[in-house]
């Protein structure tokens, strides 16, 4: 079967990224499916377009048994909300043009966010007369509404109608969190067409590396510090001013260090705020290749996961939490909902109320003052994630779904 994945932010190991999309493509190619990923040229980790992609409508490359076709994308994603929308719209248009030129696939599989890729998927499914499997990794538009980024009621009405339409035209809607089931059913998606393929972690890449701890701590001047690390996107939704507020409350506790690893629209503002507040207990490392995150976590003592406190974020499974768990780190989680359930069931960390800086500071102090229990939390988290959130299981579920669809298509011919 020929499968055309649509994944704007697709990053392979070669690009310093990798993740769920790369793993799905590799697993499906191993099952002898012909897989092509249609992706953007803008690298979200480095916030640049590589020179070899500039000035070209599309570039094709071969990776791990499948093909990646990159369509021209405007490179203004991190400048402002308006530029971000232009980046997304530019790829929607160029991916339609490039996708039409591709050999006819048997199935179209758009991955959102952004929901604009659902439009691309629908157009290409009509053009190629192929069913659409719609993977929803984040209820992105609803987040924008709840955060107040989009306030115009007519825009909200139109987007919700469009989402209903796209879901209704999908053979299956694939989700990565059980928290998405109820919102999708409220939008009219019948349970028979919802397939849960939970988020997980690559346990070969993310693992404890105790031998790297002293080297990493020496390289980053963390000796004698209790290092609390956030590793992920630094955007508006992440609510990372919480870490600065907690750091300000702990400025006199010199052994505590808050480290933020990653990049995003809010990074410059947060760095400026930390300087203005003279927070010497906060360190920004910027974007690093994903392969380096396990080593950095080996040098840390705990991971932090935080999001703004809106109802929709209670439905999500943030990848970074599984990364921390797989590296044997206890997690301080300032997110309520389904991901809190994971930490509670694993007994692999502490929950603190979202956006409560004093509670976060108290959680950091507790882990610092109880090192044996903190280490035990990390070990319990590692055991739990290995049992329940091995990404290889998600790869198998996606491959099984595509095999099932392939058999159905053959029987209907």
């Amino acid at each position: 079967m020929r499968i055309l994945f649509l994944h704007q932010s697709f990053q392979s190991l070669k690009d310093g990224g990798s993740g769920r999309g790369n793993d799905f493509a590799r697993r499906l190619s191993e099952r002898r499916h012909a897989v092509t990923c249609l992706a953007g040229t803008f690298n979200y980790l480095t916030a640049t377009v590589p020179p070899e992609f500039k000035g070209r409508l599309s570039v094709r490359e071969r990776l791990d048994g499948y093909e990646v076709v990159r369509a021209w994308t405007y490179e203004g994603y991190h400048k402002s909300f308006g530029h971000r929308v232009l980046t997304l719209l530019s790829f929607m248009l160029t991916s339609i043009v490039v996708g039409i030129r591709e050999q006819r696939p048997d199935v179209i599989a758009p991955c959102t966010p952004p929901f604009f890729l659902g439009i691309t998927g629908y157009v290409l499914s009509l053009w190629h007369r192929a069913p659409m499997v719609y993977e929803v990794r984040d209820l992105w538009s609803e987040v924008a509404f709840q955060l107040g980024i989009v306030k115009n009621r007519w825009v909200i009405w139109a987007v919700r109608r469009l989402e209903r339409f796209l879901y209704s035209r999908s053979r299956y809607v694939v989700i990565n969190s059980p928290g998405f089931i109820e919102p999708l059913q409220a939008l009219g998606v019948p349970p028979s067409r919802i397939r849960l393929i939970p988020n997980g972690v690559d346990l070969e890449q993310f693992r404890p590396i105790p031998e790297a701890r002293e080297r990493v701590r020496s390289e980053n001047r963390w000796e004698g510090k209790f290092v609390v690390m956030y590793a992920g996107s630094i955007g508006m939704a992440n609510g990372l001013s919480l870490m600065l507020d907690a750091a300000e409350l702990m400025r006199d506790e010199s052994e505590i260090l808050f480290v933020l690893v990653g990049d995003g629209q809010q990074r410059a503002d947060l760095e400026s705020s930390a300087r203005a507040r003279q927070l010497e207990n906060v360190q920004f490392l910027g974007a690093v290749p994903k392969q380096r995150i396990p080593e950095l976590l080996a040098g840390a003592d705990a991971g932090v996961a935080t999001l703004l406190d809106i109802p929709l974020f209670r439905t999500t499974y943030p990848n970074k939490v599984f990364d921390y768990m797989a590296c044997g780190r206890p997690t301080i989680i300032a997110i309520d909902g389904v991901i809190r359930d994971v930490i509670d069931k694993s007994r692999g960390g502490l929950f603190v109320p979202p956006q409560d800086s004093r509670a976060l500071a108290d959680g950091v102090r507790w882990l610092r003052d109880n090192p044996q229990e903190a280490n035990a939390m990390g070990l319990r988290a590692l055991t739990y994630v290995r049992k329940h959130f091995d990404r290889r299981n998600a790869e198998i579920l996606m491959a099984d779904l595509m095999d099932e669809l392939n058999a159905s298509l053959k029987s209907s011919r």
Side-chain angles (χ1 to χ4, degrees):
M1 181 167 70
R2 298 191 65 84
I3 303 169
L4 179 62
F5 278 110
L6 310 177
H7 192 338
Q8 179 164 355
S9 60
F10 180 87
Q11 305 292 337
S12 68
L13 285 170
K14 181 181 74 69
D15 304 308
S18 186
R20 185 175 166 107
N22 184 81
D23 294 339
F24 284 174
R26 188 180 66 249
R27 173 74 67 168
L28 286 162
S29 67
E30 289 173 357
R31 290 202 183 181
R32 301 187 182 281
H33 295 293
V35 178
T36 300
C37 295
L38 180 49
T41 52
F42 182 76
N43 187 311
Y44 295 80
L45 298 173
T46 63
T48 61
V49 172
E52 62 269 27
F53 297 156
K54 289 183 179 288
R56 304 173 67 179
L57 176 62
S58 65
V59 180
R60 186 179 299 270
E61 53 186 343
R62 186 82 183 172
L63 296 174
D64 297 328
Y66 60 91
E67 288 189 319
V68 178
V69 180
R70 297 196 177 272
W72 179 87
T73 313
Y74 172 65
E75 52 184 308
Y77 189 82
H78 293 310
K79 292 180 180 179
S80 68
F81 178 72
H83 284 279
R84 177 174 295 195
V85 171
L86 285 175
T87 301
L88 302 178
L89 287 173
S90 71
F91 181 72
M92 183 187 76
L93 296 173
T94 58
S95 62
I96 289 174
V97 174
V98 173
I100 284 174
R101 294 162 52 178
E102 285 296 301
Q103 182 177 343
R104 181 181 180 273
D106 297 295
V107 62
I108 308 287
C111 171
T112 69
F115 91 97
F116 296 113
L117 274 191
I119 300 173
T120 299
Y122 176 64
V123 171
L124 294 181
S125 71
L126 287 179
W127 179 269
H128 290 297
R129 300 184 303 282
M132 182 165 73
V133 174
Y134 196 5
E135 186 182 1
V136 179
R137 298 189 186 179
D138 200 348
L139 302 176
W140 183 80
S141 54
E142 197 63 36
V143 169
F145 303 154
Q146 291 191 13
L147 289 177
I149 297 172
V150 178
K151 299 178 181 179
N152 186 293
R153 63 190 182 95
W154 294 109
V155 172
I156 294 172
W157 176 85
V159 169
R160 284 177 173 158
R161 287 294 297 270
L162 178 59
E163 285 182 322
R164 283 178 180 267
F165 174 79
L166 294 172
Y167 293 144
S168 72
R169 295 300 187 272
S170 303
R171 181 69 62 91
Y172 295 109
V173 179
V174 175
I175 57 174
N176 61 21
S177 165
F180 292 171
I181 294 174
E182 186 175 332
L184 287 179
Q185 289 181 345
L187 288 170
V189 185
S192 61
R193 290 200 285 112
I194 298 175
R195 294 297 181 93
L196 174 61
I197 301 180
N199 259 350
V201 60
D202 181 345
L203 293 173
E204 294 181 1
Q205 182 178 7
F206 283 85
R207 66 194 193 284
I209 313 178
E211 66 273 15
R213 180 173 175 83
E214 294 307 318
R215 173 178 57 79
V216 169
R217 291 177 70 84
S218 175
E219 289 173 352
N220 292 281
R221 300 181 180 179
W222 295 345
E223 298 98 331
K225 301 289 186 181
F226 186 87
V227 177
V228 182
M229 181 175 291
Y230 172 89
S233 298
I234 302 179
M236 175 182 175
N238 302 107
L240 289 169
S241 59
L242 175 70
M243 289 187 69
L244 301 194
D245 295 341
E248 187 160 14
L249 292 172
M250 307 182 79
R251 65 165 67 246
D252 295 329
E253 299 173 65
S254 59
E255 74 281 11
I256 302 294
L257 180 65
F258 291 86
V259 176
L260 289 86
V261 181
D263 204 352
Q265 193 176 12
Q266 295 294 308
R267 178 185 163 194
D269 290 342
L270 289 172
E271 288 186 338
S272 177
S273 176
R275 287 193 298 270
R277 294 155 77 172
Q278 298 181 333
L279 297 178
E280 296 182 0
N281 56 347
V282 176
Q283 181 181 12
F284 292 84
L285 294 186
V288 302
K290 195 165 185 177
Q291 299 93 313
R292 282 200 60 213
I293 297 297
E295 284 194 353
L296 291 173
L297 284 169
D301 297 285
V304 172
T306 178
L307 288 168
L308 292 178
D309 189 18
I310 62 173
L312 199 64
F313 285 153
R314 297 171 189 169
T315 68
T316 190
Y317 269 173
N319 281 323
K320 64 181 67 64
V321 175
F322 301 118
D323 296 346
Y324 301 156
M325 296 174 76
C327 290
R329 300 294 91 184
T331 299
I332 303 176
I333 187 161
I335 310 167
D336 211 342
V338 293
I339 194 62
R340 176 188 177 182
D341 293 342
V342 171
I343 293 299
D344 287 348
K345 289 176 181 176
S346 70
R347 296 186 298 130
L350 300 175
F351 167 76
V352 300
Q355 300 305 292
D356 187 334
S357 57
R358 192 166 297 278
L360 176 57
D362 288 343
V364 172
R365 290 190 185 101
W366 192 93
L367 290 178
R368 176 200 61 191
D369 295 340
N370 296 273
Q372 288 186 333
E373 179 56 21
N375 288 334
M377 283 180 171
L379 291 174
R380 290 195 294 263
L382 174 60
T383 300
Y384 191 85
V385 82
R386 283 176 171 171
K387 182 176 180 181
H388 297 284
F389 292 99
D390 185 338
R391 188 183 283 160
R392 288 175 297 185
N393 296 330
E395 297 170 25
I396 292 168
L397 287 172
M398 176 58 91
D400 288 347
L401 175 60
M402 290 299 184
D403 285 345
E404 176 187 330
L405 181 55
N406 188 33
S408 174
L409 292 174
K410 286 181 177 178
S411 66
S412 64
R413 287 171 186 160

XYZ file of all heavy atoms in Angstrom, residues 191-242:
415
model
N -17.650 6.769 17.974
C -16.582 5.978 18.625
C -15.938 4.955 17.694
O -14.745 4.661 17.826
C -17.315 5.299 19.787
C -18.484 6.171 20.072
C -18.909 6.738 18.750
N -16.694 4.419 16.740
C -16.163 3.384 15.852
C -15.057 3.911 14.944
O -14.271 3.129 14.404
C -17.285 2.794 14.999
O -17.877 3.807 14.183
N -14.987 5.225 14.773
C -13.960 5.796 13.884
C -12.832 6.469 14.663
O -11.940 7.050 14.058
C -14.592 6.784 12.905
C -15.453 6.084 11.870
C -15.702 6.924 10.631
N -16.657 7.980 10.887
C -16.370 9.281 10.907
N -15.128 9.672 10.710
N -17.301 10.167 11.141
N -12.858 6.388 15.982
C -11.783 6.946 16.807
C -10.836 5.811 17.199
O -11.262 4.804 17.756
C -12.339 7.628 18.066
C -13.239 8.811 17.684
C -11.196 8.108 18.959
C -13.933 9.461 18.874
N -9.569 5.972 16.915
C -8.557 4.982 17.285
C -7.530 5.648 18.209
O -6.885 6.629 17.819
C -7.858 4.421 16.055
C -8.777 3.598 15.158
C -9.310 2.364 15.882
N -10.175 1.559 15.042
C -9.768 0.536 14.310
N -8.482 0.196 14.301
N -10.623 -0.150 13.583
N -7.383 5.116 19.413
C -6.420 5.626 20.378
C -5.081 4.930 20.193
O -4.977 3.710 20.373
C -6.931 5.422 21.806
C -5.956 5.771 22.943
C -5.566 7.253 22.884
C -6.560 5.420 24.297
N -4.065 5.704 19.810
C -2.688 5.219 19.739
C -1.873 6.147 20.640
O -1.440 7.227 20.228
C -2.158 5.217 18.293
C -3.038 4.328 17.403
C -0.707 4.748 18.254
C -2.594 4.266 15.955
N -1.709 5.791 21.923
C -1.172 6.734 22.912
C 0.247 7.195 22.597
O 1.033 6.493 21.961
C -1.198 5.932 24.219
C -2.150 4.817 23.974
C -2.047 4.496 22.515
N 0.538 8.401 23.078
C 1.913 8.878 23.032
C 2.808 7.923 23.799
O 2.353 7.184 24.680
C 2.012 10.270 23.669
C 2.081 11.376 22.641
O 2.245 11.110 21.451
N 1.958 12.612 23.072
N 4.058 7.965 23.499
C 5.015 7.114 24.192
C 6.410 7.662 23.994
O 6.593 8.811 23.580
N 7.389 6.846 24.261
C 8.769 7.309 24.216
C 9.637 6.235 23.577
O 9.380 5.031 23.732
C 9.266 7.655 25.632
C 9.209 6.450 26.557
C 10.660 8.259 25.624
N 10.632 6.664 22.840
C 11.625 5.767 22.244
C 12.586 5.347 23.356
O 13.469 6.119 23.753
C 12.361 6.511 21.122
C 13.393 5.643 20.419
O 13.745 4.576 20.948
O 13.862 6.057 19.339
N 12.420 4.132 23.839
C 13.194 3.670 24.989
C 14.645 3.344 24.647
O 15.463 3.163 25.550
C 12.521 2.452 25.607
C 11.159 2.731 26.251
C 10.497 1.432 26.688
C 11.305 3.676 27.436
N 14.961 3.270 23.361
C 16.360 3.109 22.978
C 17.092 4.442 23.035
O 18.273 4.511 23.388
C 16.455 2.506 21.579
C 15.932 1.069 21.490
C 16.069 0.506 20.086
O 16.590 1.218 19.207
O 15.653 -0.651 19.875
N 16.382 5.515 22.683
C 17.001 6.837 22.702
C 16.932 7.471 24.090
O 17.923 8.036 24.579
C 16.313 7.752 21.693
C 16.933 9.149 21.623
C 16.257 10.029 20.583
O 15.253 9.667 20.004
N 16.814 11.203 20.348
N 15.771 7.356 24.747
C 15.606 7.948 26.073
C 15.745 6.856 27.117
O 14.901 5.958 27.233
C 14.246 8.646 26.166
C 14.225 9.978 25.477
C 13.983 10.048 24.122
C 14.496 11.143 26.173
C 13.991 11.276 23.466
C 14.507 12.363 25.532
C 14.257 12.432 24.170
N 16.824 6.964 27.885
C 17.156 5.941 28.872
C 18.094 6.578 29.895
O 18.725 7.603 29.622
C 17.855 4.761 28.207
C 19.210 5.113 27.632
C 19.760 4.058 26.701
N 21.172 4.290 26.407
C 21.632 5.230 25.573
N 20.786 6.035 24.954
N 22.933 5.379 25.354
N 18.209 5.993 31.070
C 19.174 6.504 32.048
C 20.603 6.365 31.527
O 20.962 5.330 30.956
C 18.943 5.618 33.275
C 17.570 5.050 33.090
C 17.400 4.887 31.606
N 21.400 7.405 31.704
C 22.818 7.349 31.312
C 23.641 7.818 32.515
O 24.188 8.937 32.534
C 23.106 8.237 30.080
C 22.057 8.009 28.982
C 24.502 7.952 29.527
C 22.251 8.899 27.761
N 23.720 7.009 33.560
C 24.407 7.452 34.781
C 25.866 7.812 34.561
O 26.412 8.687 35.250
C 24.249 6.251 35.729
C 23.936 5.076 34.841
C 23.189 5.631 33.678
N 26.497 7.162 33.569
C 27.919 7.440 33.331
C 28.161 8.842 32.777
O 29.295 9.348 32.811
C 28.507 6.396 32.375
C 27.944 6.426 30.952
C 26.687 5.602 30.783
O 26.063 5.227 31.811
O 26.316 5.335 29.617
N 27.106 9.488 32.279
C 27.263 10.833 31.720
C 27.042 11.923 32.765
O 27.327 13.090 32.498
C 26.277 11.041 30.564
N 26.567 11.557 33.943
C 26.125 12.565 34.912
C 27.241 13.536 35.303
O 27.071 14.758 35.194
C 25.561 11.881 36.162
C 25.070 12.886 37.217
C 24.362 12.191 38.368
N 24.008 13.129 39.418
C 22.934 13.900 39.424
N 22.098 13.861 38.407
N 22.686 14.715 40.433
N 28.353 13.036 35.745
C 29.400 13.935 36.234
C 29.970 14.783 35.109
O 30.272 15.978 35.304
C 30.504 13.133 36.922
C 30.035 12.434 38.203
C 29.358 13.399 39.169
O 29.871 14.540 39.342
O 28.312 13.035 39.740
N 30.140 14.197 33.917
C 30.659 14.975 32.789
C 29.710 16.120 32.421
O 30.149 17.274 32.228
C 30.871 14.066 31.583
C 31.240 14.819 30.303
C 31.494 13.875 29.144
N 30.374 13.011 28.848
C 29.291 13.400 28.151
N 29.196 14.651 27.714
N 28.311 12.545 27.905
N 28.410 15.821 32.337
C 27.430 16.846 31.981
C 27.376 17.943 33.043
O 27.331 19.137 32.727
C 26.035 16.210 31.793
C 24.949 17.272 31.680
C 26.031 15.325 30.555
N 27.435 17.549 34.289
C 27.381 18.550 35.370
C 28.634 19.417 35.371
O 28.566 20.628 35.621
C 27.184 17.849 36.714
C 25.797 17.215 36.839
C 25.634 16.452 38.145
N 25.581 17.343 39.296
C 24.487 17.959 39.725
N 23.338 17.787 39.086
N 24.521 18.720 40.790
N 29.772 18.821 35.037
C 31.004 19.597 34.960
C 30.985 20.562 33.777
O 31.346 21.734 33.909
C 32.203 18.655 34.854
O 33.401 19.376 34.674
N 30.536 20.064 32.598
C 30.493 20.896 31.392
C 29.577 22.108 31.570
O 29.847 23.180 31.032
C 30.008 20.067 30.204
C 31.009 19.040 29.720
C 30.423 18.122 28.659
O 29.205 18.181 28.401
O 31.196 17.334 28.080
N 28.505 21.934 32.339
C 27.525 23.009 32.499
C 27.653 23.754 33.827
O 26.817 24.600 34.130
C 26.109 22.436 32.360
C 25.803 21.966 30.955
O 25.503 22.769 30.076
N 25.891 20.653 30.737
N 28.678 23.416 34.594
C 28.936 24.069 35.882
C 27.762 23.885 36.841
O 27.299 24.825 37.495
C 29.256 25.557 35.689
C 30.492 25.795 34.828
C 30.805 27.268 34.666
N 31.986 27.458 33.832
C 32.491 28.655 33.509
N 31.916 29.753 33.959
N 33.561 28.737 32.749
N 27.292 22.629 36.919
C 26.194 22.315 37.822
C 26.673 21.627 39.100
O 25.851 21.153 39.885
C 25.194 21.383 37.118
C 24.499 21.989 35.935
C 24.422 23.303 35.588
C 23.773 21.268 34.925
N 23.694 23.460 34.434
C 23.278 22.229 34.002
C 23.484 19.915 34.712
C 22.522 21.879 32.888
C 22.730 19.563 33.618
C 22.251 20.531 32.707
N 27.979 21.568 39.318
C 28.468 20.881 40.512
C 27.863 21.523 41.764
O 27.814 22.744 41.896
C 29.993 20.946 40.611
C 30.708 20.261 39.457
C 31.159 21.239 38.388
O 30.484 22.285 38.226
O 32.159 20.954 37.713
N 27.397 20.667 42.669
C 26.824 21.153 43.917
C 25.424 21.721 43.784
O 24.886 22.274 44.764
N 24.827 21.599 42.614
C 23.497 22.144 42.381
C 22.439 21.037 42.352
O 22.703 19.908 41.927
C 23.435 22.889 41.043
C 24.415 24.048 40.907
C 24.023 25.217 41.788
C 24.923 26.426 41.538
N 24.567 27.570 42.419
N 21.234 21.385 42.792
C 20.073 20.535 42.574
C 19.390 21.094 41.331
O 18.797 22.179 41.363
C 19.123 20.564 43.776
C 17.969 19.597 43.655
C 18.094 18.285 44.072
C 16.763 20.011 43.095
C 17.041 17.393 43.943
C 15.703 19.132 42.969
C 15.843 17.809 43.397
N 19.497 20.357 40.214
C 19.092 20.882 38.907
C 17.681 20.419 38.568
O 17.400 19.211 38.508
C 20.076 20.424 37.800
C 19.602 20.907 36.435
C 21.470 20.951 38.104
N 16.816 21.398 38.348
C 15.433 21.149 37.954
C 15.311 21.567 36.494
O 15.521 22.736 36.151
C 14.457 21.955 38.829
C 13.009 21.641 38.443
C 14.699 21.683 40.294
N 14.985 20.620 35.608
C 15.077 20.870 34.159
C 13.721 20.825 33.469
O 12.911 19.931 33.719
C 16.014 19.842 33.506
C 16.192 20.029 32.001
S 17.416 18.879 31.315
C 18.910 19.537 32.054
N 13.515 21.796 32.595
C 12.423 21.763 31.628
C 13.062 21.563 30.262
O 13.970 22.324 29.884
C 11.623 23.071 31.640
C 10.610 23.146 30.513
C 9.329 22.665 30.689
C 10.952 23.669 29.266
C 8.395 22.700 29.655
C 10.035 23.702 28.227
C 8.761 23.221 28.426
O 7.861 23.262 27.396
N 12.598 20.579 29.504
C 13.141 20.323 28.167
C 11.986 20.212 27.186
O 11.231 19.236 27.221
C 13.984 19.049 28.148
N 11.835 21.215 26.328
C 10.743 21.194 25.367
C 10.538 22.551 24.734
O 11.397 23.436 24.823
N 9.398 22.723 24.103
C 9.074 23.992 23.441
C 8.886 25.091 24.476
O 8.363 24.851 25.573
C 7.796 23.849 22.613
O 7.960 22.895 21.592
N 9.299 26.294 24.099
C 9.148 27.453 24.980
C 8.178 28.409 24.300
O 8.576 29.373 23.629
C 10.511 28.108 25.275
C 11.457 27.083 25.907
C 10.342 29.309 26.198
C 12.843 27.622 26.229
N 6.897 28.096 24.443
C 5.856 28.889 23.803
C 4.881 29.442 24.814
O 4.976 29.179 26.021
N 3.921 30.181 24.317
C 2.931 30.813 25.187
C 2.182 29.784 26.023
O 1.954 29.958 27.219
C 1.956 31.620 24.332
C 0.799 32.224 25.098
S -0.329 33.100 24.000
C -1.615 33.554 25.177
N 1.784 28.669 25.393
C 0.962 27.673 26.068
C 1.696 26.984 27.209
O 1.057 26.453 28.128
C 0.483 26.626 25.067
N 3.033 26.990 27.177
C 3.799 26.245 28.171
C 3.828 26.907 29.543
O 4.175 26.258 30.532
C 5.226 26.007 27.675
C 5.252 25.267 26.356
O 5.538 25.839 25.313
N 4.900 23.989 26.383
N 3.505 28.199 29.608
C 3.390 28.863 30.900
C 4.662 28.832 31.719
O 4.629 28.654 32.946
N 5.804 29.061 31.060
C 7.083 28.882 31.751
C 7.495 30.053 32.624
O 8.519 29.982 33.315
C 8.175 28.568 30.720
C 8.034 27.163 30.123
C 8.946 26.979 28.924
C 8.313 26.100 31.170
N 6.706 31.121 32.640
C 6.970 32.169 33.633
C 6.822 31.593 35.041
O 7.385 32.130 36.002
C 6.015 33.344 33.428
O 4.663 32.919 33.554
N 6.090 30.484 35.159
C 5.960 29.798 36.449
C 7.327 29.420 37.007
O 7.578 29.573 38.215
C 5.105 28.545 36.270
C 4.953 27.634 37.496
C 4.111 28.307 38.552
C 4.338 26.293 37.090
